[in-house]
Amino acid sequence: MNDRLVLHGIGVSAGTASGPVAVVTPAVGIDEFEPASVDADADGRRVRDALDQVAASLRERAGHANSETSKAVLEATAALATDRGLIKGVDKELKKGTGVTKAIHDAVEVYATKLRGLGGYMAERVTDLYDIRDRATARVRNLPEPGVPDLTEPVVLVAHDLAPAETATLDPEMVRGIVTEAGGATSHTAILAAQLGIPAAVQVKGIAEALASAENVELAIDGGVGEVIVAPTASDVAELKERSRRRAAALAGSSGEGATRDGHKVKLLANIGTADDAAKAATYDLEGSGLFRTEFLFLDRDAAPSIEEQTATYTSVLESFGTRRVVVRTLDAGADKPLSFADLGPEENPALGRRGLRLSQAREDLIDAQLIALAQASAAAPAADLWVMAPMVSTVEETTWFADKARAHGLKRVGVMVETPAAAIRAKQLLSLVDFASIGTNDLSQYTMAADRMEGELAHLLSPWQPAVLSMVRATCRGGEATGKPVGVCGEAGGDPLMALVLVGLGVTSLSMAPGKVNAVRAALRLHDLDTCRQMANYAEDAQTATDARNAVLNMADPVLRDLL
């Protein structure tokens, strides 16, 4: 009997693969037969011991992580395992007589609800928190921890969701692809999979049911379009291999500056988060970094990093790229990424609260120290092309405040992030005050569509193909054209070869993405002239739906482009 089944999700890491299935060991869950707690102190010690063991295990993994980004994710998760607020929550449940494993689950759920309410980066950490819950529960019950099984052959990994702690330590030689039922396009797991070059699809509904009654089944995956084939035929596997071959052929000549077929220049840049990321990205054939996220220096610390520490990090990043452009985003923290040393108090709706530049205005000491460090790094690397931009800017007043402050510290290239509809609509006014703008498509989609980017069920609303989001991009680019200022994109949309054509057609002058995506985007641009890109942009923005927009552009594209997706 042929059990072949085609499922569709969201492609988050391009590439094709096939192989036998390896299912991530599921969580053991609450012990339904456990007694009530009659000694809260003793049970509390058991839980703390389990959490300490989980933290130690995660730190050990961090020591073997394959990048600084992966290491940072693992260390942050380890710190979350021993968070005092979580432990207090468990103690509170135990004192009510709740059984040990249920106390862990209930306390974590209270904490998770708070993190979801914060939105942004903290909402992304709910997956980490559940991973800690499941590992601690397994240790308390003396059962195997959930996670990736020992692999003896290359596989396609399947999970309900995959914690960043698991993704960060995967071996691309042994994991050919990743398929999850949950997750989002901009989650840590999706980003890490792309960095590792592992084809991945998330939100693949029905994969668990499809595998439940099957044994020794194989999967085939196309991580570009999110297609997953259960029990693929020989022709399916052959088609995927042929698609990979065609993709390699299409990429073979991709090198040098980014430009359309008729020579219209588009800078192709890398998104980075650490000095180690910079060193690795600088080895790629690209034109610099369009987004250096500096918050990794600040998060999960009891005190802000010193000016000296920041200067050393920024100097290292600038030196890695030599004379190539480096766009630094100042601290993007606050309500949705709270800092223990910069707590501005509770807010009714933190996701719309004092984050990014708003935090900097409340804590000028933090932004001043960062700007001093950036100026010192620029002086230490005089050949560097340093650009500095502020996140979460909405008004002319905010733009003026940041521009004046940055220039007072001697920084020459000053810009703003466009992440809100307010900034997009008023781009001409904002850009008249600064040197450039960079569109963060992830947040711009979230705020335009009023849809939480961490809510998997709303993923369709968060597509950059939404015509309303494209209209926001066009409005920003019109502001750039009116003022003669460049407008880049540093959100995940910039790494999609098909979307890149639309963005260029709308007027975007640079695209920043995961380094591994640059070749495909460069090849896509060289297949099309600027007029075609503009036509694509018009069709996409005028479309009725996001699906219609993408289909219209795909139909206009050179057929070779399909092999790059």
Side-chain angles (χ1 to χ4, degrees):
M1 182 177 69
N2 185 4
D3 294 321
R4 181 182 184 275
L5 176 67
V6 179
L7 301 173
H8 295 278
I10 301 171
V12 295
S13 182
T16 60
S18 63
V21 171
V23 178
V24 172
T25 305
V28 296
I30 296 170
D31 182 356
E32 297 179 6
F33 304 101
E34 70 182 356
S37 176
V38 294
D39 189 341
D41 290 339
D43 288 337
R45 285 193 293 273
R46 283 180 62 202
V47 174
R48 276 188 284 277
D49 286 345
L51 290 170
D52 286 342
Q53 291 168 21
V54 169
S57 174
L58 292 170
R59 291 191 186 98
E60 183 180 356
R61 288 186 179 208
H64 299 92
N66 44 38
S67 74
E68 284 298 318
T69 300
S70 299
K71 181 179 179 181
V73 169
L74 289 164
E75 289 178 341
T77 307
L80 191 60
T82 55
D83 184 271
R84 276 180 278 181
L86 173 60
I87 293 169
K88 285 182 180 178
V90 173
D91 287 339
K92 182 178 178 181
E93 294 297 326
L94 292 171
K95 287 175 182 177
K96 293 192 299 186
T98 306
V100 175
T101 61
K102 190 172 189 306
I104 295 172
H105 279 242
D106 289 353
V108 164
E109 196 54 47
V110 170
Y111 205 156
T113 300
K114 290 179 180 178
L115 292 181
R116 287 195 192 94
L118 292 172
Y121 175 82
M122 296 311 293
E124 292 173 3
R125 303 203 66 188
V126 170
T127 300
D128 301 359
L129 190 60
Y130 285 159
D131 185 44
I132 291 165
R133 174 199 67 190
D134 296 339
R135 293 178 187 280
T137 301
R139 287 181 180 269
V140 167
R141 297 186 63 180
N142 293 315
L143 293 172
E145 286 190 24
V148 178
D150 291 333
L151 303 178
T152 58
E153 62 179 336
V155 300
V156 175
L157 201 61
V158 176
H160 173 72
D161 200 359
L162 197 59
E166 293 291 348
T167 315
T169 53
L170 294 180
D171 178 0
E173 296 295 321
M174 296 299 287
V175 178
R176 291 176 174 170
I178 298 171
V179 179
T180 69
E181 277 199 303
T186 60
S187 67
H188 274 153
T189 296
I191 292 170
L192 288 170
Q195 287 180 340
L196 291 169
I198 301 175
V202 301
Q203 292 287 315
V204 182
K205 301 301 183 184
I207 186 65
E209 291 84 351
L211 298 178
S213 58
E215 292 184 7
N216 301 319
V217 70
E218 292 210 353
L219 287 185
I221 175 176
D222 185 331
V225 298
E227 182 178 276
V228 176
I229 306 175
V230 181
T233 63
S235 61
D236 288 328
V237 174
E239 168 58 24
L240 282 180
K241 289 181 178 178
E242 173 60 17
R243 198 180 296 175
S244 292
R245 186 200 64 76
R246 294 197 305 264
R247 177 181 172 84
L251 292 175
S254 178
S255 63
E257 291 183 327
T260 57
R261 188 173 61 199
D262 52 339
H264 175 73
K265 296 290 180 65
V266 182
K267 279 196 174 291
L268 301 180
L269 310 163
N271 291 341
I272 59 174
T274 66
D276 184 62
D277 286 348
K280 291 179 179 178
T283 66
Y284 283 75
D285 182 9
L286 44 76
E287 298 169 78
S289 172
L291 174 63
F292 172 33
R293 306 176 182 92
T294 59
E295 53 267 22
F296 277 103
L297 278 167
F298 294 80
L299 296 173
D300 297 306
R301 298 176 62 134
D302 294 326
S306 67
I307 292 175
E308 292 74 21
E309 180 183 350
Q310 292 188 61
T311 299
T313 298
Y314 304 150
T315 301
S316 175
V317 170
L318 293 177
E319 289 177 343
S320 290
F321 284 102
T323 59
R324 289 178 285 178
R325 180 187 304 179
V326 176
V327 183
V328 176
R329 182 177 70 189
T330 57
L331 179 60
D332 187 10
D336 70 332
K337 303 173 191 173
L339 303 174
S340 61
F341 52 86
D343 185 1
L344 301 182
E347 294 178 315
E348 188 67 28
N349 192 341
L352 301 178
R354 291 177 289 180
R355 59 166 284 197
L357 187 67
R358 299 170 185 176
L359 171 66
S360 295
Q361 289 183 312
R363 286 290 305 272
E364 289 193 52
D365 57 313
L366 296 177
I367 187 68
D368 283 338
Q370 188 166 30
L371 294 175
I372 289 170
L374 286 166
Q376 291 180 352
S378 182
D385 185 16
L386 172 62
W387 299 33
V388 180
M389 63 184 180
M392 198 62 178
V393 174
S394 297
T395 67
V396 163
E397 291 88 346
E398 291 171 342
T399 303
T400 301
W401 183 87
F402 177 73
D404 288 348
K405 185 174 282 291
R407 287 172 180 148
H409 285 86
L411 297 167
K412 297 176 182 178
R413 289 277 196 169
V414 179
V416 295
M417 290 282 291
V418 174
E419 300 164 282
T420 66
I425 293 168
R426 299 286 288 174
K428 176 181 175 181
Q429 287 73 23
L430 270 55
L431 277 165
S432 68
L433 301 168
V434 292
D435 304 305
F436 71 97
S438 186
I439 301 171
T441 52
N442 301 344
D443 269 330
L444 184 59
S445 298
Q446 173 175 242
Y447 291 128
T448 299
M449 303 305 296
D452 186 344
R453 57 189 282 196
M454 293 310 301
E455 181 55 63
E457 296 300 324
L458 300 180
H460 64 289
L461 292 176
L462 292 163
S463 167
W465 289 98
Q466 286 289 350
V469 176
L470 297 177
S471 292
M472 290 294 123
V473 175
R474 187 185 291 279
T476 306
C477 292
R478 282 176 175 161
E481 292 163 4
T483 57
K485 306 292 176 61
V487 173
V489 163
C490 60
E492 292 300 307
D496 177 346
L498 189 63
M499 172 56 71
L501 302 175
V502 173
L503 294 173
V504 170
L506 290 170
V508 168
T509 60
S510 66
L511 299 166
S512 194
M513 63 204 78
K517 296 183 178 182
V518 169
N519 277 351
V521 171
R522 179 164 41 219
L525 290 174
R526 292 187 178 178
L527 289 169
H528 304 84
D529 59 32
L530 182 58
D531 282 343
T532 300
C533 292
R534 287 171 173 163
Q535 282 184 304
M536 290 174 167
N538 291 337
Y539 273 99
E541 189 183 5
D542 290 341
Q544 294 292 320
T545 69
T547 300
D548 291 344
R550 189 180 188 280
N551 288 340
V553 174
L554 189 59
N555 288 335
M556 294 178 65
D558 188 302
V560 174
L561 182 67
R562 293 174 182 268
D563 298 322
L564 298 173
L565 300 177

